[in-house]
């Protein structure tokens, strides 16, 4: 079974503020990449058997995807799509929002992004979210990587901050998104030493040299079993992510460099992430 744990469902015209649109333009990212339909999303994730879907609420950087819209989509496709709520601690009522999403909209987990939401990952507001999620067995996927959005210190995206969180909330299931790029080594060190911390491999394969080196480090540290499959649609599709992971050794052909073993790549693609997280 292929489980894609990292996909975004948004409505560009409705959900993206002016700052976010300006950041896309400044970074050379076509607005059309994020302007897609539900049908496009369904087609793009068709290679997966199960999919985690979320939006992103981040007032600080112009993301305003309504959880209700994502929850409605997931409920209409509940045989395949699993809803995670995005909770923005920048909002005054963020804990009420979390409880509403859990008890009324029936989210199965939570998506946060400190570098988008403008709050340090060890801030007391996030700690309230972590505490609730740990007590209610809700896994967290957190964006721990660089991004094109501006206006928030890049330090908020450093994976090593989540090591403190893991020590304070040892039973909380945490996924560090994007293998923490460009700080993959930090991420690998953290997932290796913390029982309930994992990483996803979303949005990495199309930087092949970075991807190869990150995976070699994971192999050498013996923690590939802590890496989960994700695509990061619309950055790329589920199917293209699978192909990209399987082609990881293309960049080192005839170089004499050590390969990434096939059992590692197939293990990631076919990992039972739901059995791990839920």
């Amino acid at each position: 079974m292929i489980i894609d744990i990292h996909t975004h469902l948004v409505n560009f015209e409705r959900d993206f503020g002016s700052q976010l649109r300006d950041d896309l333009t400044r970074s050379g990212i076509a607005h059309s990449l994020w302007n897609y339909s539900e049908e496009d999303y369904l087609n793009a994730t068709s290679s997966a058997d199960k999919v985690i879907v979320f939006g992103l609420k981040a007032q600080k950087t112009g993301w305003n995807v309504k959880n209700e819209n994502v929850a409605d989509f997931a409920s209409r496709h509940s045989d395949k799509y699993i809803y995670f709520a995005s909770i923005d601690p920048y909002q005054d009522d963020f804990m009420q929002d979390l409880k509403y999403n859990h008890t009324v909209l029936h989210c199965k987990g939570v998506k946060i992004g400190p570098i988008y939401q403008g709050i340090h990952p060890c801030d007391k507001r996030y700690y309230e979210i972590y505490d609730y999620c740990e007590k209610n067995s809700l896994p967290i996927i957190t964006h721990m990587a660089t991004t094109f959005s501006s206006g928030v210190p890049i330090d908020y995206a450093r994976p090593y901050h989540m090591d403190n969180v893991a020590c304070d909330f040892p039973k909380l299931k945490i996924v560090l998104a994007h293998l923490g790029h460009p700080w993959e080594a930090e991420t690998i060190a953290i997932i290796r030493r913390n029982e309930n911390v994992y990483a996803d491999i979303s949005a990495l394969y199309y930087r092949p040299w970075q991807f190869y080196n990150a995976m070699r480090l994971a192999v050498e540290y013996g923690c590939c079993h802590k890496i989960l499959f994700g695509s990061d649609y619309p950055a790329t599709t589920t199917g293209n992510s699978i192909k990209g992971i399987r082609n990881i050794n293309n960049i080192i052909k005839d170089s004499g460099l050590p390969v990434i073993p096939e059992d590692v790549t197939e293990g990631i693609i076919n990992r039972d992430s739901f059995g791990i997280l839920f």
Side-chain angles (χ1 to χ4, degrees), residues 8-28:
H8 297 263
L9 183 64
V10 307
N11 181 299
F12 180 83
E13 295 300 328
R14 180 186 62 213
D15 301 335
F16 281 34
S18 59
Q19 177 185 342
L20 180 52
R21 297 180 187 218
D22 289 345
D23 283 339
L24 287 169
T25 300
R26 175 185 48 78
S27 300

Side-chain angles (χ1 to χ4, degrees), residues 70-119:
V70 184
D72 174 69
F73 169 85
S75 70
R76 288 186 278 110
H77 303 277
S78 59
D79 58 323
K80 178 172 178 174
Y81 294 89
I82 308 300
Y83 166 57
F84 272 38
S86 179
I87 305 301
D88 183 2
Y90 205 81
Q91 297 179 190
D92 292 337
D93 62 345
F94 70 95
M95 284 305 298
Q96 290 91 332
D97 191 32
L98 173 55
K99 293 172 184 176
Y100 171 77
N101 274 275
H102 180 214
T103 61
V104 178
L105 298 184
H106 306 296
C107 70
K108 301 301 183 184
V110 169
K111 174 64 161 62
I112 60 172
I115 197 170
Y116 294 117
Q117 294 169 334
I119 296 175

Side-chain angles (χ1 to χ4, degrees), residues 58 60-61 88-90 111-126 130 141-147 149-165 175-178 180-183 186-187 190:
K60 180 71 173 178
T61 52
D88 183 2
Y90 205 81
K111 174 64 161 62
I112 60 172
I115 197 170
Y116 294 117
Q117 294 169 334
I119 296 175
H120 192 284
C122 293
D123 186 277
K124 65 180 182 180
R125 287 164 287 185
Y126 276 126
Y130 305 146
I141 298 175
T142 178
H143 183 101
M144 283 287 129
T146 188
T147 181
S149 283
S150 65
V152 175
I154 200 168
D155 179 63
Y156 290 8
R158 292 295 294 265
Y160 75 87
H161 293 306
M162 297 306 293
D163 188 60
N164 295 324
V165 176
V175 179
L176 309 182
H178 315 302
H181 74 82
W183 306 287
E186 286 182 16
T187 299
I190 293 163

